[in-house]
Amino acid sequence: MGKLGIVQVEVSTRCQLSCLMCPKFQFKDEWISKDMDMEIFHSIPFKKFRYAHLQGWGEPLLNPNIGEMIETARKHCSVGLTTNGILIDRHLEDVLKLDLLAVSIASADAEEHMAIRGCRLEKLKENIKLVSEQRDREPKIVIATMMLKNTVEQLPDIVDLAHECGADEVIANNMDYIPSEQLVGMEVFGSSPDPGVLEQIKKAEKKANELGINFVAKPVKLEEALVCAEDPIKNCLITVDGRIAPCVYLHLPTRSEYISRYFRGRKTKVPKLYFGHVSEFNRVWKEEYRRFREIFERRLQTRYQSLPLNIPDLPDVCKTCYKAWSV
């Protein structure tokens, strides 16, 4: 049997920012801020996975052991993380050992970026250049941005920013988790894609091609997926306290046992979903988690059926998650 896919590891749920679209900002009164300890981290079977992404709901570079964590994981698989970028200069030696470094940028406009993320854009640009200008650097540098109604026109400018900073790729994500009513309507996806959004994506693609940068925009049309991009068949999340979950969308580091989210404009609530502790990974993967994965395996098998298709229903906890609808 070959290696599994991706293990996402929530090494910290702390963050020094309060971004408007982040659940940490929306649920600040019940947020649990903590770092993963090394005992839990060492129990993660990295050798079983192809890639480890050291980030969940929080800023990974705040964990005081992040250097040791990167060193430990990279002995067994490729390693990357997503960061708000503020502490890159303080962790340059550690960051240079990564295979992938993704930096979150809200806008190419400094004032708009400050309004959304609460940090200086110029500082992030300086830190990205610090990595890109290193001789024989290892990590692929990705600028990760979120397409919102009020920022999507910035996509071509973000490609320019990426080129200026020496980044290799721009990924335009969707606001696929909407934690509050105030954010409803800011998403750019829908049953019928907005022509204006598609035009900005095309402009960004054209600019990226001219500058020699890879550009990826997530789909903006809602269509039920047989298996979402998180792919629980091969991947999983290890939470900050060591629990095994299918993905970050079925886990939040809050005191509530439920996840509140808005789907198609309506508030919904689903229970958090965990399958045991990472210290018992082999048993959990083969038993409790296997039953959840089999639902998606059966859905995937319908690709080979002759019509009419008989597609098993999504798990109830996934039906109101936008990732299950391809965005």
Side-chain angles (χ1 to χ4, degrees):
M1 178 180 175
K3 284 198 172 189
L4 300 175
I6 299 169
V7 58
Q8 185 169 357
V9 184
E10 188 176 54
V11 297
S12 181
T13 60
R14 296 189 294 134
C15 187
Q16 65 275 65
L17 301 182
S18 293
C19 302
L20 298 181
M21 57 283 191
C22 180
K24 176 181 174 289
F25 173 75
Q26 300 296 334
F27 305 129
K28 53 182 176 291
D29 293 338
E30 54 179 306
W31 197 261
I32 300 171
S33 295
K34 62 186 295 187
D35 295 324
M36 177 179 283
D37 63 47
M38 289 306 297
E39 182 179 356
I40 290 175
F41 192 85
H42 282 304
S43 69
I44 300 171
F46 290 104
K47 64 183 179 181
K48 292 182 180 293
F49 291 89
R50 174 181 52 82
Y51 173 76
H53 198 73
L54 307 184
Q55 184 253 347
W57 293 114
E59 169 51 48
L61 296 185
L62 283 175
N63 190 310
N65 297 311
I66 189 62
E68 183 182 351
M69 289 174 160
I70 292 170
E71 284 280 10
T72 298
R74 72 195 294 260
K75 293 175 183 176
H76 306 287
C77 62
S78 299
V79 183
L81 57 78
T82 301
T83 173
N84 60 34
I86 296 173
L87 298 177
I88 286 175
D89 53 343
R90 300 187 192 180
H91 291 276
L92 183 60
E93 184 178 347
D94 299 323
V95 164
L96 290 173
K97 296 173 183 175
L98 294 167
D99 295 285
L100 182 146
L101 173 69
V103 183
S104 297
I105 301 286
S107 170
D109 179 83
E111 290 187 8
E112 190 170 47
H113 187 276
M114 174 63 77
I116 295 173
R117 299 191 69 87
C119 63
R120 290 177 50 244
L121 180 61
E122 195 59 37
K123 169 68 172 175
L124 304 190
K125 290 167 65 175
E126 291 171 1
N127 278 349
I128 296 168
K129 290 178 182 177
L130 192 61
V131 178
S132 69
E133 292 171 356
Q134 296 295 314
R135 182 178 298 177
D136 301 324
R137 65 175 170 89
E138 285 194 30
K140 175 183 179 181
I141 302 174
V142 175
I143 302 298
T145 192
M146 184 177 288
M147 295 184 288
L148 303 173
K149 284 283 176 64
N150 60 332
T151 64
V152 69
E153 65 181 19
Q154 290 279 323
L155 280 183
D157 294 331
I158 288 177
V159 172
D160 277 327
L161 181 151
H163 181 256
E164 175 192 347
C165 295
D168 305 294
E169 182 173 89
V170 172
I171 295 181
N173 295 302
N174 282 303
M175 184 171 61
D176 43 36
Y177 172 44
I178 302 178
S180 75
E181 188 175 11
Q182 289 74 25
L183 295 171
V184 174
M186 291 181 65
E187 70 275 11
V188 300
F189 52 81
S191 300
S192 299
D194 184 332
V197 171
L198 295 176
E199 180 62 25
Q200 294 302 327
I201 291 173
K202 286 182 180 179
K203 287 181 179 179
E205 289 174 341
K206 183 174 184 293
K207 177 68 68 69
N209 186 57
E210 291 170 353
L211 296 176
I213 293 176
N214 194 38
F215 177 81
V216 178
K218 296 297 175 66
V220 292
K221 182 178 181 180
L222 290 173
E223 294 179 299
E224 184 177 346
L226 294 176
V227 180
C228 73
E230 300 305 296
D231 194 357
I233 295 174
K234 299 181 293 184
N235 308 330
C236 69
L237 166 75
I238 308 299
T239 71
V240 71
D241 52 5
R243 289 181 289 181
I244 300 170
C247 63
V248 293
Y249 300 94
L250 291 173
H251 156 71
L252 271 185
T254 57
R255 294 182 180 86
S256 173
E257 294 301 314
Y258 293 87
I259 296 171
S260 176
R261 60 194 183 199
Y262 282 78
F263 181 74
R264 297 184 186 269
R266 299 182 62 181
K267 185 176 182 178
T268 66
K269 186 183 286 189
V270 297
K272 296 175 182 177
L273 188 63
Y274 305 110
F275 294 99
H277 196 271
V278 68
S279 60
E280 298 183 289
F281 182 86
N282 287 339
R283 182 188 62 77
V284 173
W285 187 270
K286 293 176 182 178
E287 296 177 13
E288 290 97 323
Y289 193 34
R290 177 180 59 80
R291 290 188 285 274
F292 182 79
R293 298 197 317 274
E294 283 177 344
I295 297 172
F296 294 96
E297 290 170 349
R298 291 197 302 272
R299 287 174 61 85
L300 206 56
Q301 288 168 3
T302 62
R303 292 182 303 175
Y304 308 109
Q305 291 181 3
S306 58
L307 293 176
L309 295 179
N310 182 22
I311 302 175
D313 285 344
L314 286 165
D316 287 342
V317 292
C318 298
K319 289 178 179 177
T320 57
C321 177
Y322 281 120
K323 297 302 292 186
W325 297 87
S326 301
V327 299

